[in-house]
Amino acid sequence: STQSTGSSGINAEYGHARALGKALALASVTAVTATTIFCYYGIYKSHKSTVTWWQNFDHQARIERIRENEKVFFDKWEYFWRTGKWGGAGYIQPPPLPEGTPYGDNPRLFRD
């Protein structure tokens, strides 16, 4: 059985172009779907959850917590800077600096 070169030659010629078109269409649909999913979950939902988190954040309580612990925080870092030793964990007042050690006048959030 011999194959004629009539219309089958044309199909063979355009079959690659048709497969390429299908592949490009599938790739485009996949790219648009992936982009849509990423934009919804990766950007929109993430942004909304971040906004909700900050709206529920108690800013006044944080300001008060910083105000009452700021002196200990700066004393602790000053002690570490001057002596090289960390003065304990948490909000524990570090020991006084050695006699004659200058204390830095660092910028503070609150000057009471």
Side-chain angles (χ1 to χ4, degrees), residues 12-67:
E13 193 177 315
Y14 293 107
H16 177 71
R18 187 175 26 194
L20 186 60
K22 286 180 180 179
L24 287 175
L26 180 64
S28 298
V29 167
T30 304
V32 168
T33 304
T35 303
T36 303
I37 291 170
F38 171 75
C39 288
Y40 180 71
Y41 288 105
I43 298 172
Y44 175 73
K45 293 284 263 190
S46 174
H47 173 71
K48 283 196 58 98
S49 68
T50 303
V51 167
T52 303
W53 190 87
W54 278 107
Q55 285 173 342
N56 293 332
F57 190 78
D58 191 351
H59 295 279
Q60 191 57 40
R62 181 173 184 268
I63 289 169
E64 291 165 6
R65 198 167 52 248
I66 290 171
R67 184 184 297 273

